[in-house]
Amino acid sequence: MVCDRLADTVTVLLLTVSTFFIANSAFIAFGEKYPETYQGILNTISSPWVWGVVVAGALLLVWLFTSRTTNKWVLKVRKAVADLWEGFAVIGRMPHKGRWLLYTVAIWGCYFMQLYLAFFAFPFTEHLGIVAALVTFVLSSVSMGIPSNGGLGPWHIAVIFSLGIYGVGMNQAAAFAMIVWGAQTCLLVLLGLYAFIGIALDKRSVTSKQQQSIN
């Protein structure tokens, strides 16, 4: 499970970096259209306070791993990080690594196609193209890192912001976000029920076969 989550994190990071290069012109156009918002983002990124927190966090991590303290909280953090690293290192030792990598790419490809196809269901997004869908997909994926119930709230804000970069109005973008999120949530519920029923039936079948073999 740890290996799977870390693989998802790495995938999102790679997609984020790639998308900012691919859709660079769209972000520049957004900055020209909304200079105050764009400047606010740049100010946040270049803020000495932000970088100060980053540096302080890095120094704290170095101290945690180099100090010889016996503090129980420090030891817990060390163990948690070591367990995470061990979970990620499993990839190098696991059999069928190529198949696992293929499945990872296929799953994320399906995630993207699910959102991209939704673009063709609305007249105000059907003309935006695959790059706009990629920007929306990446920013919405990053938003899932914010704790919420199924992405409710952060996911919608990320989608609305992404579509706003390409000139989609606030109301239209909000409608797109709510409908797509609602459809995806309903799909997850249906698939969850299907899996629950399938597991129950499979367990019942195994139990029945075991009883027949005993008799």
Side-chain angles (χ1 to χ4, degrees):
M1 183 180 68
V2 173
C3 174
D4 185 54
R5 295 284 75 81
L6 287 175
D8 289 342
T9 302
V10 172
T11 301
V12 171
L13 288 174
L14 292 175
L15 285 174
T16 301
V17 174
S18 302
T19 300
F20 274 102
F21 280 105
I22 294 173
N24 184 50
S25 59
F27 289 108
I28 293 175
F30 174 81
E32 294 175 349
K33 186 176 181 180
Y34 303 101
E36 293 183 0
T37 302
Y38 188 71
Q39 189 60 44
I41 296 173
L42 291 180
N43 290 339
T44 301
I45 296 174
S46 60
S47 171
W49 290 102
V50 173
W51 286 104
V53 170
V54 172
V55 172
L59 292 175
L60 177 61
L61 288 175
V62 171
W63 176 79
L64 287 175
F65 286 98
T66 57
S67 64
R68 297 182 179 180
T69 180
T70 57
N71 184 282
K72 65 177 183 179
W73 296 109
V74 174
L75 295 177
K76 284 184 178 181
V77 172
R78 285 180 177 176
K79 186 178 184 304
V81 174
D83 290 341
L84 286 174
W85 175 252
E86 178 62 24
F88 191 70
V90 168
I91 299 175
R93 302 192 300 267
M94 68 188 298
H96 310 297
K97 291 186 286 292
R99 183 185 302 177
W100 175 84
L101 179 61
L102 177 62
Y103 286 159
T104 301
V105 174
I107 289 171
W108 278 94
C110 290
Y111 288 158
F112 171 71
M113 290 304 298
Q114 185 181 33
L115 180 64
Y116 178 52
L117 292 176
F119 271 55
F120 295 96
F122 300 86
F124 51 83
T125 55
E126 62 180 356
H127 64 285
L128 295 181
I130 194 170
V131 175
L134 182 61
V135 171
T136 305
F137 175 69
V138 167
L139 294 183
S140 62
S141 297
V142 172
S143 73
M144 294 299 289
I146 302 174
S148 63
N149 294 323
L152 181 61
W155 191 89
H156 296 73
I157 293 173
V159 170
I160 293 171
F161 175 78
S162 303
L163 295 179
I165 293 176
Y166 290 91
V168 178
M170 175 72 73
N171 293 334
Q172 293 175 325
F176 177 92
M178 286 301 301
I179 294 173
V180 173
W181 181 85
Q184 292 178 351
T185 302
C186 289
L187 179 61
L188 287 176
V189 171
L190 292 174
L191 291 176
L193 291 173
Y194 173 78
F196 178 79
I197 295 172
I199 292 172
L201 292 176
D202 186 62
K203 184 177 180 181
R204 182 178 179 181
S205 176
V206 171
T207 303
S208 177
K209 289 180 180 179
Q210 289 176 345
Q211 291 176 350
Q212 290 177 0
S213 62
I214 294 175
N215 296 330

